Amino acid sequence: QSFGEKFAPLFTGEQDQEMVKEKIMAQQDELVNFLSSNGVEMSVKFDLGSEAYLIDMDSDVQFDLQSPLKLVGETTLRFYDMDTLIEKIMGMAQSNQNNPAVAGQLAMVTGFIPMIQMMGQQGANDDGRSYREYKVVMDNAGNVSLNGAPMSQMMGMMGGPQM
């Protein structure tokens, strides 16, 4: 039976997102088993941004039913020009002081970005454009590391599986 024949009913005919999620979770092991036993690998690369900032991702993962996370592999994210992005968002927050809801949301984002920025490794591309790099590795035992540092405690605090 093909993937489409076996799993298309999970994704069709249902508009309620919660119901779709429940259907997928109910057959998660079967889905991951099908993908892993057929050697399915995901390789994703994308760039998102503008001249002011850029997010670049390169990911190679495999489905693995034996892994607690059901995935093994690595993903590298590069955020270019985060300082410029922070400045732009701060400027937007200042210009939206008459709209407290928007200003509050933008202020929350500006508080979050520096925290993310601190966790990245600094670098620059061949053109001298600065970036922060985040390399996430998931192994067969379910261990996750960010730039070589174990992430299991942080994942537990965020509601993810604890290793």
Side-chain angles (χ1 to χ4, degrees):
Q1 199 173 25
S2 73
F3 177 83
E5 292 169 333
K6 189 165 188 69
F7 297 105
L10 292 176
F11 304 102
T12 58
E14 187 64 59
Q15 300 303 313
D16 180 11
Q17 292 293 323
E18 283 302 311
M19 186 61 77
V20 171
K21 183 179 176 181
E22 286 178 25
K23 286 181 178 180
I24 291 171
M25 294 307 289
Q27 293 188 352
Q28 178 182 2
D29 285 348
E30 188 176 352
L31 176 62
V32 172
N33 186 40
F34 181 88
L35 296 171
S36 63
S37 65
N38 285 288
V40 173
E41 297 179 7
M42 284 193 309
S43 183
V44 179
K45 181 164 179 57
F46 77 83
D47 297 323
L48 172 70
S50 67
E51 289 182 22
Y53 65 91
L54 172 70
I55 300 171
D56 180 25
M57 182 181 94
D58 193 0
S59 180
D60 287 304
V61 295
Q62 299 171 328
F63 294 94
D64 183 350
L65 190 59
Q66 304 308 312
S67 169
L69 299 175
K70 309 298 186 225
L71 291 172
V72 296
E74 66 183 54
T75 297
T76 301
L77 287 166
R78 283 187 177 172
F79 288 83
Y80 288 84
D81 303 315
M82 289 181 91
D83 293 331
T84 304
L85 179 60
I86 293 168
E87 287 174 23
K88 286 187 177 288
I89 294 172
M90 287 173 66
M92 290 169 61
Q94 290 295 324
S95 66
N96 279 288
Q97 289 302 317
N98 293 338
N99 187 338
V102 172
Q105 290 293 320
L106 291 170
M108 190 168 56
V109 169
T110 26
F112 179 70
I113 291 175
M115 182 179 70
I116 298 297
Q117 189 177 27
M118 288 184 342
M119 295 187 323
Q121 293 180 339
Q122 287 183 297
N125 67 8
D126 294 339
D127 297 331
R129 192 170 185 185
S130 68
Y131 62 78
R132 295 288 177 139
E133 184 171 270
Y134 308 85
K135 185 174 183 179
V136 179
V137 177
M138 300 169 288
D139 69 16
N140 293 20
N143 299 311
V144 178
S145 65
L146 173 63
N147 294 333
M151 295 292 296
S152 57
Q153 287 181 335
M154 184 179 290
M155 289 180 66
M157 289 187 296
M158 295 186 307
Q162 292 189 1
M163 306 317 142

